[in-house]
Amino acid sequence: MRSSKFHLLFHFHYWLLWTSIGKLGEIKLAGLSVNAQKEMGSMSSAKFYSIPEGKGPYSVGCTDLMTDHTIQGSFFRLYYPSQNGTSCEETKWIPRKEYYRGLSDFLNVYRMLGETVFQYYVGSVTCPAKWNAAFKPGEKYPLIIFSHGLGAFRTIYSAICIEMASRGFIVAAVEHRDKSSSATYYYKENPVSEAREEVTENWEEEWIYYRKLRQGEQEFPLRHQQLQQRTEESIKALDLILDINSGKHVVNVLPLNFDWTLLKGSIDSDRIAVMGHSFGAATAIETLSKEARFKCGIALDAWMLPLDDQVYSRVHQPLLFINSEKFQWASNVLKMKKLYSTGTERKMITIKGSVHQSFPDFTFLAGTFVGKIFKLKGEIDPNIAIDISNKASLAFLQKHLGLEKDFDQWDALVDGEGHNVILGTNIDLPSTQPEPLE
């Protein structure tokens, strides 16, 4: 059954075991990032095994926002155009060891083993955005809400989010609390003690880990239920950011020194898009169907299973599908095609030589051998693949958000023109297409 693939967001369960054996047995493998680079002893390879910088004219800053300490609150990582010289600190890619534990659970690896290996290989990885750098006011920026895939969390699509921010977007990467992420957290209150005067001292972290399917459990009911929560969280993030834009005071539960008042009047509330990968792409589609403030959407290698049949007639905004060559299959693509029946513009392209993991950051941190064996890399250079995806996204956003930029130079990619792109899909589809929706 193809459905088993959906549970393997990173497709490197066996990589983890392999590199663990290598580490414990002093067998050196060019696995991931910083320590792998040291083992290889090459400065050129060290540069290669890193998350790519944004190519646009804006410096990029990054911060986290958690409002309302309860599980009903909002939690996202914000990428934004920043002022130069206000921070020299790179952003830690995976900020807490609990995320290693969550990834280990997700991949069915013992936590102690998984945490040790993740810490060794990616514990020192940073992404090229300045942590808590001051926001750059003075312009009206379009907004993107980004939804992560199954088993992911808010930090691991930083290459995409940083590129969008470097081009003049504000991007909020939501961390979903529906038990589809590897790990996330909120705060719960301890019983109030008379000796404690500060309210925050009575809070303690409560971690939520990935919820696996139970034996014999049908997948659709769980995923559809999670989809509804994901959609609510995406819309809630939009509401929160627009409140900040209007000047409403925001209290960040996290102890971060970031001036949110600089965002007042800096977001173009008429130019808002939603974007996501895999389960996050399904979330983007569902969000479009429920919230008209999103003017368009981008679905990266969408997994359509969580969507019910009612959604296809309810999405009236333009939608771009960017698919990998190796992940898709006929029934999934046919569900995408159902969305064409509303008469609104739909575009679909496929990136040649790409895999499902060509969109998250892990593809940039894996060596060529390990990356291809364990499906973290395709035949195409990951930097070329993400460049195609980002440029096609920017061209589509310019057209449907009415931006006055130069992103239309990449319009040909949206039309499937180029050495590494295919218009539509590489999958052979049945000759009978889905009937139009009434």
Side-chain angles (χ1 to χ4, degrees), residues 15-16 34 48 57 69 85 100 137 142 157 170 228 234 255 274 304 345-346 351 367 377 390-391 413 421:
W15 166 81
L16 194 61
V34 177
F48 179 77
H69 65 278
Y100 302 145
Y157 293 89
I170 295 172
Q228 305 314 305
S234 297
V274 62
M304 302 295 285
E345 181 171 358
R346 305 284 183 251
I351 301 175
K377 292 180 185 286
N390 287 336
K391 287 177 177 177
L413 291 174
V421 291

Side-chain angles (χ1 to χ4, degrees), residues 64-78:
D64 287 333
L65 177 60
M66 183 189 294
T67 61
D68 182 356
H69 65 278
T70 70
I71 196 170
Q72 286 77 33
S74 190
F75 188 21
F76 56 76
R77 173 155 287 191
L78 196 78

Side-chain angles (χ1 to χ4, degrees), residues 158-420:
S158 66
I160 295 171
C161 297
I162 288 170
E163 175 62 13
M164 296 296 116
S166 80
R167 300 287 182 175
F169 289 83
I170 295 172
V171 185
V174 178
E175 187 158 289
H176 294 295
R177 291 166 164 169
D178 60 333
K179 299 184 180 180
S180 69
S181 61
S182 287
T184 187
Y185 68 102
Y186 64 99
Y187 289 89
K188 67 177 183 180
E189 292 187 27
N190 280 327
V192 177
S193 170
E194 293 182 1
R196 291 176 174 177
E197 297 180 359
E198 295 293 331
V199 175
T200 54
E201 291 182 2
N202 295 320
W203 296 350
E204 65 178 20
E205 292 177 0
E206 181 75 7
W207 281 85
I208 307 169
Y209 292 102
Y210 178 73
R211 199 282 223 186
K212 298 178 182 179
L213 282 174
R214 302 183 181 97
Q215 187 172 2
E217 182 180 12
Q218 294 295 311
E219 186 156 25
F220 173 76
L222 172 62
R223 302 306 180 205
H224 186 65
Q225 180 183 16
Q226 290 175 324
L227 180 68
Q228 305 314 305
Q229 181 173 337
R230 285 167 147 260
T231 300
E232 291 175 5
E233 290 169 341
S234 297
I235 296 171
K236 188 179 294 184
L238 171 61
D239 291 337
L240 176 58
I241 294 172
L242 292 182
D243 281 345
I244 294 170
N245 187 55
S246 68
K248 185 176 179 179
H249 177 65
V250 61
V251 176
N252 194 353
V253 174
L254 304 174
L256 299 176
N257 183 24
F258 181 78
D259 186 359
W260 289 95
T261 64
L262 291 175
L263 274 74
K264 182 179 179 180
S266 294
I267 296 168
D268 191 334
S269 59
D270 293 323
R271 292 181 168 89
I272 301 170
V274 62
M275 188 175 188
H277 172 245
S278 195
F279 200 174
T283 306
I285 294 167
E286 183 77 11
T287 301
L288 288 172
S289 77
K290 293 186 174 179
E291 182 50 74
R293 288 176 294 176
F294 291 100
K295 304 304 182 185
C296 63
I298 299 173
L300 305 175
D301 227 10
W303 177 38
M304 302 295 285
L305 180 142
L307 296 159
D308 64 18
D309 289 337
Q310 283 69 48
V311 74
Y312 299 111
S313 62
R314 297 199 307 256
V315 179
H316 302 292
Q317 303 95 317
L319 181 60
L320 171 63
F321 291 99
I322 303 179
N323 293 339
S324 69
E325 184 177 5
K326 302 298 184 182
F327 176 72
Q328 293 297 334
W329 63 104
S331 62
N332 202 57
V333 175
L334 286 173
K335 289 181 179 180
M336 298 178 197
K337 292 284 189 178
K338 285 185 179 182
L339 285 156
Y340 283 55
S341 303
T342 61
T344 308
E345 181 171 358
R346 305 284 183 251
K347 291 284 188 177
M348 182 187 298
I349 61 171
T350 299
I351 301 175
K352 295 179 182 178
S354 61
V355 295
H356 198 49
Q357 305 313 314
S358 294
F359 300 94
D361 294 336
F362 278 101
T363 190
F364 305 107
L365 303 175
T368 301
F369 174 73
V370 170
K372 288 186 177 180
I373 290 294
F374 303 111
K375 310 297 184 184
L376 294 172
K377 292 180 185 286
E379 295 302 318
I380 189 172
D381 183 310
N383 290 278
I384 294 175
I386 206 68
D387 200 44
I388 292 170
S389 178
N390 287 336
K391 287 177 177 177
S393 298
L394 289 165
F396 189 81
L397 291 168
Q398 170 155 328
K399 178 178 180 180
H400 295 291
L401 296 182
L403 304 177
E404 296 181 1
K405 300 283 187 176
D406 62 352
F407 306 153
D408 56 347
Q409 64 182 297
W410 301 307
D411 282 349
L413 291 174
V414 182
D415 293 327
E417 299 176 9
H419 294 298
N420 294 299

